[in-house]
C-alpha cells in the first residue's frame, strides 16, 4: 500500500510491442511491487503495432508516441509531477546507447536491456555523460536478481569456499538450432543481423549473462581469455555458439560456454565455483536451490524462502514467499525494479544500489570485443580491457 503523498514511479518504454518477448516481461516485473506505473511508450516503428500495444495496455493515446525521439521531446515538456521519470529500453542492441544518451541528456533515468551497446567505445562515452548527469542507469542482468545468486556471492565473500581456484559457467539454449531468421522470425532476425546486434550474436545475447554472473558471484575480474566462436547454421552471419578459457585477477581459472544451437536445451544457465575448502553450484532453471559442497563433508542444500534460516541478509530481502512456493524469472527482474524505484526515491545518481549499472555494461562490452578478437587472433591469451 502506498503511504499518503507517495506516488508511483512513472515509467516509459521504447520497444516491446506486439510480437516482442522481453518488453512484456519488463512490464510484468515492474508492476510486481506496485511501485512503478507505465505511463507512456513508443513500442514499435510499425504504427498499427504501436497503436494496438498502447490500447492493450490502456495507455492514454496522447502519451503513445510514434518514435523514441518524440517520446523524449514530448515527455520533457510535461509538468515535473506528470512526466515520465524512468525510461525502459527494450530495443535491438544498436539503439541502446543512442536512446540512453538522449534520455540522460533530457534528465530521465534509464533501465536498459543488455548488452549496453554495440561497442565498448560508445558505452564508455555513455558512462562519461552519465557521471556528469543526475540520472540513474541500470542494466537488465535479470539473473542477478535471484536470491540464491546473492547467497552464492556471500558464501564466496565470507570465505566458506576458501581461495577460489576454478569457475565453470555455461548458458546453453537450443532455440536457434534451425534457420529461424530465414522464416522472418522477429527475435532471430535482429539477433543474427550485425547491423542490429553488433559484432557478436550468441556471446552478446547470452554469453554476457554468463560473464556477468561469473564476475558477480566470484568477486573477481576476468583479465585474460582464449576463445573460439562458431556459426553452425549455414548462412548465419553471427556466432551461434562459443566457448572461452579465462583467467581472473585473483589467480583463478575457468571455462565459459554459451550456445544457442544445443538442441533440446531451454535456458540452462549454470555456474559452479570451487575453492580450496569447497564448492557451490546453482542452476537458473532450479533457481530456489543452491548446492554447497564442503571438502570432505556431505553436500548441503540451501533453499530460498522468506524467513528461511541460514540465508544472508541480501538473499533474504530478495525472497518474497515462504520456502516451497517457487519464485522465478519475473520475481528476479522484479527485484531489480524494486531496487531501482528505491534508488529514484532516495535521490541516488549513477548506478542504483542493488542493480547492475554502467560498469557492468562496460565490462560486458569489453568481454564481447575480446572474445571477437580472440577468434581471429594468433595469440593464445588476450587481455580483457580493465574498466575502473
Amino acid at each position: 500500500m502506498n503511504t499518503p503523498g507517495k506516488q508511483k514511479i512513472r515509467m516509459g518504454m521504447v520497444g516491446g510491442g506486439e510480437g516482442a518477448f522481453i518488453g512484456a516481461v519488463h512490464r510484468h516485473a515492474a508492476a510486481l511491487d506496485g511501485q512503478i506505473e507505465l505511463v507512456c511508450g513508443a513500442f514499435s516503428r510499425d504504427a498499427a503495432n504501436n497503436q494496438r500495444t498502447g490500447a492493450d495496455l490502456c495507455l492514454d493515446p496522447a502519451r503513445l508516441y510514434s518514435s523514441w525521439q518524440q517520446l523524449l521531446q514530448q515527455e520533457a515538456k510535461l509538468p515535473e509531477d506528470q512526466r515520465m521519470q524512468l525510461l525502459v529500453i527494450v530495443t535491438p542492441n544498436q539503439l541502446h546507447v543512442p536512446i540512453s544518451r538522449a534520455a540522460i541528456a533530457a534528465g530521465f533515468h534509464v533501465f536498459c536491456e543488455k548488452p549496453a551497446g554495440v561497442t565498448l567505445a560508445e558505452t564508455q562515452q555513455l558512462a562519461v555523460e552519465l557521471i556528469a548527469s543526475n540520472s540513474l542507469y541500470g542494466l537488465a542482468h535479470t539473473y542477478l536478481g535471484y536470491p540464491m545468486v546473492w547467497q552464492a556471492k556471500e558464501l564466496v565473500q565470507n570465505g566458506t569456499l576458501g581461495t577460489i581456484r576454478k569457475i565453470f559457467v555455461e548458458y546453453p539454449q537450443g532455440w536457434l538450432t534451425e534457420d529461424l531468421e530465414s522464416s522472418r522470425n522477429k527475435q532471430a532476425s535482429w539477433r543474427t543481423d550485425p547491423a542490429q546486434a553488433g559484432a557478436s550474436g550468441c556471446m552478446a545475447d547470452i554469453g554476457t549473462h554468463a560473464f556477468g554472473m561469473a564476475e558477480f558471484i566470484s568477486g573477481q575480474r576476468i583479465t585474460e581469455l582464449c576463445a573460439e566462436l562458431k556459426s553452425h547454421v549455414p548462412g548465419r552471419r553471427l556466432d551461434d555458439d562459443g566457448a572461452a578459457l579465462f583467467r581472473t585477477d585473483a589467480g583463478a581459472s575457468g571455462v565459459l560456454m554459451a550456445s544457442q544451437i544445443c538442441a533440446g536445451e531451454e535456458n540452462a544457465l549454470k555456474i559452479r565455483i570451487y575453492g580450496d575448502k569447497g564448492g557451490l553450484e546453482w542452476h537458473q532453471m532450479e533457481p530456489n536451490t543452491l548446492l554447497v559442497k564442503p571438502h570432505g563433508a556431505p553436500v548441503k542444500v540451501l533453499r530460498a524462502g522468506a524467513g528461511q534460516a541460514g540465508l544472508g541478509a541480501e538473499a533474504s530481502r530478495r525472497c518474497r514467499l515462504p520456502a516451497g512456493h517457487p519464485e522465478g524469472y519475473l520475481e528476479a527482474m522484479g527485484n531489480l525494479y524494486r531496487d531501482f524505484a528505491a534508488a529514484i526515491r532516495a535521490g541516488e545518481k549513477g548506478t542504483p544500489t542493488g542493480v547492475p549499472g554502467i560498469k557492468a555494461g562496460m565490462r560486458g562490452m569489453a568481454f564481447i570485443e575480446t572474445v571477437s578478437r580472440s577468434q581471429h587472433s594468433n595469440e593464445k591469451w588476450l587481455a580483457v580491457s580493465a574498466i575502473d
Side-chain angles (χ1 to χ4, degrees):
M1 179 180 295
N2 289 332
T3 57
K6 188 176 182 180
Q7 294 185 336
K8 292 185 178 183
I9 301 298
R10 298 177 297 278
M11 181 180 94
M13 179 173 285
V14 177
E18 184 180 88
F21 155 63
I22 202 65
V25 174
H26 276 266
R27 293 190 291 267
H28 292 316
L32 275 180
D33 290 286
Q35 296 296 305
I36 298 174
E37 177 183 17
L38 180 69
V39 298
C40 65
F43 303 105
S44 175
R45 290 171 294 182
D46 180 286
N49 184 323
N50 196 40
Q51 290 291 331
R52 288 193 301 270
T53 303
D56 287 345
L57 295 171
C58 302
L59 283 186
D60 179 351
R63 300 182 75 175
L64 181 61
Y65 302 106
S66 62
S67 68
W68 63 265
Q69 294 94 334
Q70 185 190 38
L71 183 151
L72 293 176
Q73 182 182 52
Q74 295 302 118
E75 286 294 312
K77 294 178 180 179
L78 294 175
E80 188 174 350
D81 63 349
Q82 296 178 28
R83 72 174 69 126
M84 169 188 76
Q85 296 166 277
L86 168 64
L87 181 65
V88 177
I89 302 171
V90 289
T91 66
N93 302 348
Q94 88 280 10
L95 293 174
H96 289 181
V97 167
I99 300 175
S100 295
R101 291 180 63 185
I104 289 168
F108 299 113
H109 304 297
V110 171
F111 191 43
C112 185
E113 260 302 322
K114 36 63 36 204
V118 292
T119 69
L120 175 58
E122 69 167 1
T123 309
Q124 289 173 318
Q125 180 59 40
L126 172 62
V128 170
E129 294 170 14
L130 177 65
I131 290 169
S133 77
N134 291 318
S135 295
L136 288 161
Y137 175 92
L139 197 65
H141 276 290
T142 303
Y143 304 114
L144 303 188
Y146 279 112
M148 301 313 278
V149 168
W150 283 82
Q151 184 63 29
K153 181 178 181 67
E154 180 172 313
L155 292 176
V156 173
Q157 288 179 327
N158 67 20
T160 297
L161 306 188
T163 300
I164 301 304
R165 292 173 169 175
K166 198 73 181 178
I167 304 168
F168 295 95
V169 61
E170 63 181 59
Y171 196 160
Q173 295 178 336
W175 76 285
L176 284 178
T177 293
E178 298 176 331
D179 182 12
L180 295 183
E181 56 268 40
S182 293
S183 62
R184 297 187 179 182
N185 178 289
K186 187 175 181 180
Q187 301 304 314
S189 294
W190 77 257
R191 283 177 171 82
T192 57
D193 178 6
Q196 297 183 78
S200 172
C202 175
M203 279 296 175
D205 193 26
I206 61 173
T208 49
H209 279 304
F211 173 84
M213 179 162 289
E215 291 203 332
F216 179 77
I217 294 179
S218 72
Q220 301 182 14
R221 287 188 174 189
I222 294 174
T223 54
E224 295 179 290
L225 59 79
C226 173
E228 178 186 39
L229 303 181
K230 186 173 178 61
S231 179
H232 288 268
V233 175
R236 181 164 287 163
R237 292 177 289 172
L238 291 175
D239 56 286
D240 53 25
D241 176 64
L245 303 175
F246 64 81
R247 297 168 174 167
T248 76
D249 58 354
S253 62
V255 181
L256 182 153
M257 184 276 282
S259 179
Q260 293 173 313
I261 49 80
C262 293
E265 291 288 359
E266 295 173 342
N267 286 278
L269 174 62
K270 177 173 72 175
I271 187 166
R272 291 173 288 153
I273 298 181
Y274 300 96
D276 59 0
K277 295 181 180 179
L280 63 78
E281 182 171 338
W282 180 81
H283 296 230
Q284 195 274 147
M285 291 175 62
E286 296 290 341
N288 297 298
T289 298
L290 175 66
L291 300 181
V292 184
K293 305 175 179 181
H295 180 60
V299 173
K300 298 179 181 179
V301 180
L302 299 183
R303 294 281 292 164
Q308 188 83 317
L311 298 186
E314 292 293 348
S316 293
R317 80 173 186 86
R318 289 171 172 81
C319 294
R320 297 162 178 270
L321 299 171
H325 297 279
E327 298 185 56
Y329 189 73
L330 283 178
E331 289 85 356
M333 185 179 283
N335 286 336
L336 300 185
Y337 271 104
R338 183 172 59 187
D339 284 347
F340 208 133
I344 292 173
R345 297 190 193 283
E348 295 182 12
K349 297 193 300 182
T351 296
T353 300
V355 181
I358 192 62
K359 287 186 178 180
M362 290 189 289
R363 288 295 298 161
M365 292 311 307
F367 164 73
I368 292 167
E369 292 195 355
T370 307
V371 166
S372 298
R373 285 193 294 114
S374 180
Q375 169 68 9
H376 303 290
S377 175
N378 291 324
E379 297 181 51
K380 182 175 181 180
W381 293 100
L382 294 183
V384 180
S385 297
I387 304 295
D388 297 321

